[in-house]
Amino acid sequence: MQAKQTVPVYGHYINGEWRTSAETMPVLNKYTGEELARIGKASREEVREAVTNALETFRRVKLSPVRRYEILTRAAELCRERKEELALTMVREVGKVLKDARAEVDRGIQTLIASAEEAKRIAGEGIPLGQPGSENKLAFTIRVPVGVIGAITPFNFPFNLTVHKLGPAIAAGNTVVLKPAELTPLIACKLVDILSEAGLPAGVVNLVNGLGPETGQYLLEDERIAMFTFTGSPGVGRHIKSTTGIRKVTLELGNNSPNIVHKDAPDLDRAAELCVTRGFSNAGQACISVQRVYVHREIYDLFVEKAVGVARSLKVGNPEEPDTDVGPMITEKEAMRAEAWIQEALAQGAKAVCGGKREGAVLEPTILTGVKPDMKVMCQEVFAPVISIVPYDDIDEAFREANDSRFGLQVGLFTSNLQLAMRAAHELEFGGVIINDVSTYRADVMPYGGVKDSGIGKEGPRYAIEEMTDERIVVINL
Ligand code: NAD
């Protein structure tokens, strides 16, 4: 970190040290607008230097699985010790409410621990060569690290999602060049310092700050990077896939998450509370936020009443106050975009049963009814505290509407019927089907990733390690 001006300045982290950057840009407090820090804008040359360093380190530094385990475990301990500081960093740079920021630090710690544990379990398999001519051959596979990984992360969960990339990459023996989201880079800068303090050798993780179409693009164009792991918007994901040719990519993209509340839902109060709170947490800016809620007509009016009750009980505003539930969106521009989508839906016949108003970057938690499938709030990823509740008569209709999306990350279904639950598991076209909880449920150890425009490849340390290693066959002539 450069100590310049009155705010901290983070340039680029290359070979274990912070480098100054010729050009810098501000990182703002998303609630107050105050300048929190400045970050560098990495040039093509600086990105090249980071990749050179990562490649040299990959070839030179070989950490044993136990050493990787120790470093990641130590990093988890350091994060626990610095939990409040890390949480406050996110409260300010993301606008994330304090309780969600604390919860994200806790999850990131678990992701580090899970990555540490998986470092010890990377294994291939014995391959029986049961064919004539191979009688005296012994064959098995080993899993080897892919090399240098380019990691590009989004603004919304800048701690845990960065850990989901760095943890498995380190556990698998790779080196990394990370480009964090330019709107929320500070927590990632702190994380690389923590990894270094935990004993990670210089050069294993490098970080370049800057804008996506500049610094991010330079990274994509460096052919020495063996694999890209990206979490972010579908448009950028598509661009990454088309730019990186035959190199490996995992893409964790968006969703317009459907949740179905059937008439036999075991606990309607709980279903309403989960749909509302998980639609509005992180100001709706989660890839698996509840967005479309399909409710059986027999319980529809009651559900809407309960949902509105929960929404009205939420405290909206300053994310630094410990009891705030919904804070600002990432920028005023994004809040205006979501407000415009609401206005458009209202003009086309929808009704706001609560919320709808905006003040700066803070958009009131909004529940819409009377929506149609082709409204933007339904068919696109709203990424704001806005949910729509839609009645259905027949479960087939609900399944059809849930599946009628270009996305397929996760879906929720509330029902007491085991047969229906199993039918959903087979017929709903998503990476994850969550029964009796909402689409937003995620345990960090589970395989996580979507189908269709929601992406390719899985995260969750064990599954990310599979993506971040190559399977190599070894044949021994006996
Ligand atoms: P974004 O796509 O705008 O940015 C993500 C990252 O990509 C940033 O670091 C950005 O600088 C970089 N980038 C932008 N243009 C680039 C380019 N041309 N080349 C290389 N890098 C480039 O996304 P965002 O607004 O930060 O995040 C919101 C999106 O992320 C939503 O669509 C959300 O659903 C998705 N998301 C998905 C998951 C998941 O696990 N599936 C999790 C969180 C967020």
Side-chain angles (χ1 to χ4, degrees):
M1 187 181 64
Q2 292 162 247
K4 199 182 124 193
Q5 303 164 1
T6 50
V7 293
V9 182
Y10 290 91
H12 317 297
Y13 187 75
I14 301 177
N15 200 23
E17 56 188 36
W18 286 100
R19 308 270 175 94
T20 56
S21 178
E23 252 192 285
T24 64
M25 58 185 173
V27 180
L28 304 180
N29 179 316
K30 302 305 181 288
Y31 188 67
T32 64
E34 159 210 5
E35 186 172 304
L36 294 170
R38 297 189 72 82
I39 55 162
K41 288 174 83 178
S43 64
R44 192 182 287 279
E45 209 33 63
E46 285 165 322
V47 169
R48 204 190 306 277
E49 202 185 334
V51 178
T52 301
N53 194 265
L55 188 58
E56 280 171 4
T57 307
F58 176 70
R59 293 188 174 142
R60 185 173 41 81
V61 175
K62 302 289 171 191
L63 298 174
S64 70
V66 170
R67 188 68 196 123
R68 298 174 208 159
Y69 167 87
E70 288 168 350
I71 293 166
L72 290 167
T73 308
R74 179 71 191 127
E77 283 166 12
L78 292 171
C79 289
R80 200 172 280 129
E81 285 165 19
R82 290 173 60 176
K83 176 172 167 179
E84 244 359 67
E85 174 206 336
L86 296 174
L88 266 178
T89 301
M90 284 193 281
V91 167
R92 292 173 184 155
E93 71 170 337
V94 187
K96 195 178 284 273
V97 301
L98 190 56
K99 50 190 165 188
D100 288 352
R102 288 181 177 144
E104 184 175 343
V105 177
D106 286 339
R107 282 184 60 181
I109 291 168
Q110 290 305 314
T111 309
L112 280 168
I113 292 170
S115 301
E117 288 166 346
E118 293 300 333
K120 295 204 241 177
R121 296 183 193 138
I122 301 169
E125 58 179 349
I127 307 291
L129 295 181
Q131 85 181 38
S134 292
E135 290 81 358
N136 60 342
K137 301 276 194 296
L138 172 69
F140 55 90
T141 62
I142 56 173
R143 295 207 77 96
V144 295
V146 293
V148 180
I149 293 182
I152 303 179
T153 51
F155 75 80
N156 59 340
F157 289 87
F159 183 65
N160 192 31
L161 294 182
T162 307
V163 174
H164 265 290
K165 304 202 178 304
L166 301 188
I170 295 167
N174 296 292
T175 58
V176 182
V177 180
L178 166 69
K179 198 214 81 67
E182 56 270 35
L183 290 169
T184 59
L186 303 180
I187 191 86
C189 296
K190 289 185 183 235
L191 180 61
V192 297
D193 277 338
I194 286 173
L195 286 165
S196 164
E197 197 182 329
L200 192 71
V204 175
V205 172
N206 301 273
L207 181 153
V208 286
N209 275 312
L211 298 172
E214 296 172 7
T215 303
Q217 181 66 28
Y218 306 146
L219 208 54
L220 298 181
E221 288 171 11
D222 195 316
E223 300 242 334
R224 295 169 299 168
I225 296 179
M227 174 189 173
F228 287 91
T229 169
F230 172 75
T231 302
S233 59
V236 176
R238 203 175 281 278
H239 171 70
I240 290 176
K241 181 120 191 319
S242 65
T243 312
T244 51
I246 52 179
R247 290 176 290 162
K248 251 184 166 174
V249 286
T250 61
L251 304 172
E252 304 292 339
L253 312 174
N255 201 30
N256 58 351
S257 308
N259 286 271
I260 301 169
V261 184
H262 200 46
K263 59 185 173 186
D264 60 3
D267 180 345
L268 202 60
D269 287 317
R270 184 170 169 274
E273 186 177 347
L274 282 168
C275 284
V276 170
T277 53
R278 301 297 184 269
F280 300 151
S281 60
N282 216 37
Q285 301 164 118
C287 47
I288 39 178
S289 275
V290 173
Q291 180 172 333
R292 299 178 283 152
V293 186
Y294 298 99
V295 181
H296 192 274
R297 200 176 296 277
E298 276 178 26
I299 54 168
Y300 178 79
D301 289 341
L302 187 58
F303 182 90
V304 172
E305 188 189 315
K306 287 178 189 294
V308 171
V310 177
R312 295 217 167 111
S313 73
L314 298 175
K315 184 177 164 192
V316 182
N318 186 348
E320 216 159 316
E321 286 170 13
D323 55 345
T324 302
D325 298 293
V326 182
M329 289 180 60
I330 190 67
T331 57
E332 183 168 2
K333 190 169 161 228
E334 270 299 292
M336 286 167 73
R337 187 264 312 154
E339 184 189 31
W341 286 17
I342 294 170
Q343 292 305 328
E344 192 178 292
L346 298 180
Q348 291 168 6
K351 189 174 160 212
V353 287
C354 72
K357 294 199 187 66
R358 179 186 64 81
E359 208 183 306
V362 179
L363 183 66
E364 272 180 3
T366 303
I367 300 181
L368 300 175
T369 57
V371 292
K372 303 210 174 56
D374 58 354
M375 290 177 178
K376 288 196 186 99
V377 290
M378 287 288 285
C379 68
Q380 298 196 27
E381 181 181 32
V382 70
F383 224 59
V386 182
I387 65 174
S388 296
I389 310 182
V390 181
Y392 67 86
D393 294 299
D394 170 13
I395 193 70
D396 289 336
E397 180 191 334
F399 277 23
R400 223 176 11 255
E401 291 198 32
N403 281 338
D404 183 20
S405 168
R406 52 188 270 251
F407 299 111
L409 187 48
Q410 293 207 143
V411 56
L413 167 66
F414 289 84
T415 179
S416 303
N417 181 331
L418 182 60
Q419 274 73 22
L420 180 60
M422 285 312 298
R423 219 191 110 195
H426 286 102
E427 293 180 19
L428 292 173
E429 298 157 359
F430 294 82
V433 176
I434 313 294
I435 306 295
N436 290 332
D437 208 318
V438 276
S439 55
T440 323
Y441 175 82
R442 178 181 184 187
D444 290 288
V445 290
M446 74 189 204
Y448 180 76
V451 297
K452 304 193 221 171
D453 277 4
S454 291
I456 49 173
K458 297 283 180 203
E459 287 201 335
R462 179 178 153 196
Y463 309 93
I465 286 171
E466 268 178 39
E467 307 276 358
M468 292 174 174
T469 51
D470 286 322
E471 189 171 47
R472 180 175 293 163
I473 180 84
V474 181
V475 180
I476 302 178
N477 192 23
L478 298 170

